[in-house]
């Protein structure tokens, strides 16, 4: 043993006592969640839902159709919209939009769109935003479109909706 080594003293107190309550560590519940994955599209129009699930499986917040997700309740929702636009040969922009098509009108949800500029070959996108639904029911549909000649594909398109509050 080397006696020239410095000597250290630990001079602190470890707290002891009753532990207080632990707060939440994540989402309150895995409830009122809707996930929809859309089939690859090569032609203009509405995309078809290929796979989907709801949490809980039986709920009255969402209903799913072949192309649409209907939000049945008013509230604050977090919506994520993502996918890929790719292709070549078109002289115009291609667009992928998440639209609210209720009551015969179609309105693009703010920040829920992507475009492939003319001359570009690929665009990966993911958008997440919060929306307040005040006039339920609201029908959401993914629309794919482009003008001009070319081969454009919309793929890996997904929508996730989480109800955050009333």
């Amino acid at each position: 043993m080397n006696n020239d080594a410095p000597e250290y003293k630990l001079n602190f107190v470890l707290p002891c006592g009753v532990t207080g309550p632990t707060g939440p560590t994540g989402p309150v519940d895995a409830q009122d969640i809707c996930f929809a994955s859309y089939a690859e599209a090569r032609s203009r129009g509405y995309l078809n839902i290929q796979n989907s699930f709801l949490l809980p499986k039986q709920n009255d917040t969402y209903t799913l159709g072949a192309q649409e997700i209907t939000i049945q309740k008013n509230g604050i929702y977090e919506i994520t919209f993502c996918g890929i636009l790719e292709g070549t040969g078109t002289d115009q922009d291609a667009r992928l939009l998440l639209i609210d098509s209720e009551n015969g009108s179609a309105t693009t949800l703010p920040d829920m769109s992507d475009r492939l500029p003319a001359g570009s070959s690929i665009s990966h996108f993911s958008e997440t935003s919060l929306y307040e639904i005040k006039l339920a029911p609201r029908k959401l549909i993914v629309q794919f479109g482009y003008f001009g000649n070319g081969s454009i594909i919309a793929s890996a398109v997904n929508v996730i909706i989480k109800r955050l509050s009333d």
Side-chain angles (χ1 to χ4, degrees):
M1 188 160 146
N2 185 352
N3 289 333
D4 293 333
E7 188 174 305
Y8 297 99
K9 286 187 179 181
L10 300 177
N11 190 7
F12 60 90
V13 177
L14 293 174
C16 62
V18 178
T19 303
T22 302
T25 58
V28 175
D29 259 331
Q31 63 182 358
D32 291 338
I33 297 174
C34 174
F35 170 80
S37 178
Y38 292 81
E40 182 177 280
R42 294 175 181 270
S43 59
R44 301 166 185 94
Y46 298 138
L47 272 60
N48 292 314
I49 295 174
Q50 186 172 26
N51 296 305
S52 64
F53 65 84
L54 302 174
L55 290 176
K57 288 186 180 191
Q58 301 297 322
N59 74 57
D60 56 357
T61 302
Y62 311 102
T63 55
L64 296 167
Q67 297 175 323
E68 71 278 346
I69 300 168
T70 303
I71 298 174
Q72 300 289 354
K73 292 183 177 180
N74 292 336
I76 306 292
Y77 292 84
E78 177 184 313
I79 301 176
T80 300
F81 180 46
C82 61
I84 301 170
L85 281 174
E86 61 184 315
T88 58
T90 185
D91 53 354
Q92 300 288 327
D93 293 352
R95 295 198 176 271
L96 199 56
L97 312 167
L98 182 60
I99 60 173
D100 178 349
S101 68
E102 198 59 40
N103 299 325
S105 64
T107 305
T108 302
L109 292 178
D111 301 321
M112 292 287 130
S113 65
D114 186 54
R115 77 179 185 74
L116 181 65
S120 299
S121 61
I122 192 162
S123 174
H124 297 262
F125 71 95
S126 179
E127 303 287 343
T128 299
S129 198
L130 298 180
Y131 296 97
E132 182 174 13
I133 304 294
K134 292 182 179 179
L135 300 171
R138 306 309 304 170
K139 188 184 299 182
L140 304 181
I141 298 176
V142 175
Q143 184 178 27
F144 173 50
Y146 61 92
F147 298 99
N149 297 317
S151 175
I152 306 293
I153 301 168
S155 62
V157 177
N158 297 296
V159 173
I160 302 169
I161 306 172
K162 295 183 243 177
R163 185 167 187 243
L164 302 176
S165 71
D166 295 336

